[in-house]
Amino acid sequence: MASSHPTVQGFFSMQTTLPLRQIDHDVFVAPQLDAAAMAELARLGFRSVVNNRPDFEHGPDQPASAQVEAAALAAGLQYRHLPVAGGYQSPEEVAAFRQLLAELPHPLLAFCRSGARSTRLYQLAAGSRAPSPVAAIDRQAIVLCEEERSRRIAPQPRPATQAFAPDVGKRLSARPRRLRLVAQVHERSSASAP
């Protein structure tokens, strides 16, 4: 069967249809996985799975953690359920995820609804660890994009005055009109004073 996703490099050289994304050399994320995906993860060489999605977050069609856990254990995987909200991960949740990263065997896969929550949780938890090569590449790309953006919006130098109006030099040397008017009013008022 042809894969819709590229071969996962590093630990795995087999093709898979699972939507895995590598975020560190031995840490991957994925969108919602069902119980059937656990056997495929074990076949690929994963050793641990962390489910970051609360049960029934978006209705009854979502697989329950107990179902996924039973399938993971049957496939020989370590399984942990650390449900976190999509919009905010508390310092306690980040610390718990950091602990899971330290204690669970790798390669490790974390999943949630889209993979974004697990990615963010990993980034926060790994903040005190050495930066991953993948994260370093992402930071370099961000820096390059910011430099390019600032180059595009930086103020451009004005052209030389003589290039577009040869007589403007004479006008610039004269006092601006407003200053001349102020000077005239001052001269008149001082001349009329006794």
Side-chain angles (χ1 to χ4, degrees):
M1 165 166 38
S3 172
S4 61
H5 300 282
T7 302
V8 179
Q9 298 299 317
F11 288 99
F12 320 106
S13 60
M14 294 185 246
Q15 293 285 327
T16 182
T17 57
L18 296 176
L20 307 177
R21 189 168 64 88
Q22 186 172 6
I23 59 173
D24 205 343
H25 69 281
D26 61 352
V27 178
F28 293 73
V29 295
Q32 177 69 58
L33 297 175
D34 59 14
M38 297 302 114
E40 174 73 4
L41 292 174
R43 183 184 74 79
L44 289 170
F46 282 96
R47 297 179 62 205
S48 303
V49 175
V50 177
N51 178 358
N52 294 130
R53 193 162 188 205
D55 275 342
F56 308 113
E57 180 180 43
H58 287 289
D61 294 338
Q62 174 186 328
S65 178
Q67 296 168 320
V68 180
E69 179 178 19
L73 296 175
L77 298 168
Q78 296 272 336
Y79 180 89
R80 297 294 187 282
H81 187 214
L82 178 63
V84 297
Y88 172 75
Q89 291 81 45
S90 73
E92 295 79 18
E93 292 166 334
V94 172
F97 193 74
R98 184 179 301 119
Q99 182 65 34
L100 291 176
L101 288 171
E103 72 184 29
L104 290 173
H106 289 226
L108 178 140
L109 176 101
F111 73 90
C112 58
R113 187 186 65 78
S114 68
R117 178 181 340 182
S118 295
T119 300
R120 178 72 177 141
L121 195 58
Y122 174 79
Q123 290 169 339
L124 292 169
S128 63
R129 298 174 9 162
S132 73
V134 175
I137 291 169
D138 286 346
R139 279 193 299 278
Q140 288 175 344
I142 290 169
V143 167
L144 290 173
C145 287
E146 286 297 318
E147 287 174 358
E148 178 64 25
R149 185 170 88 67
S150 66
R151 238 191 328 271
R152 276 193 238 141
I153 62 172
Q156 299 298 317
R158 293 187 153 189
T161 306
Q162 297 300 323
F164 63 89
D167 68 330
V168 89
K170 295 175 194 167
R171 285 186 277 156
L172 288 177
S173 63
R175 288 192 277 181
R177 183 169 191 254
R178 187 172 133 220
L179 290 177
R180 281 184 293 171
L181 291 173
V182 169
Q184 288 172 355
V185 168
H186 181 68
E187 287 173 9
R188 286 184 189 158
S189 64
S190 61
S192 63

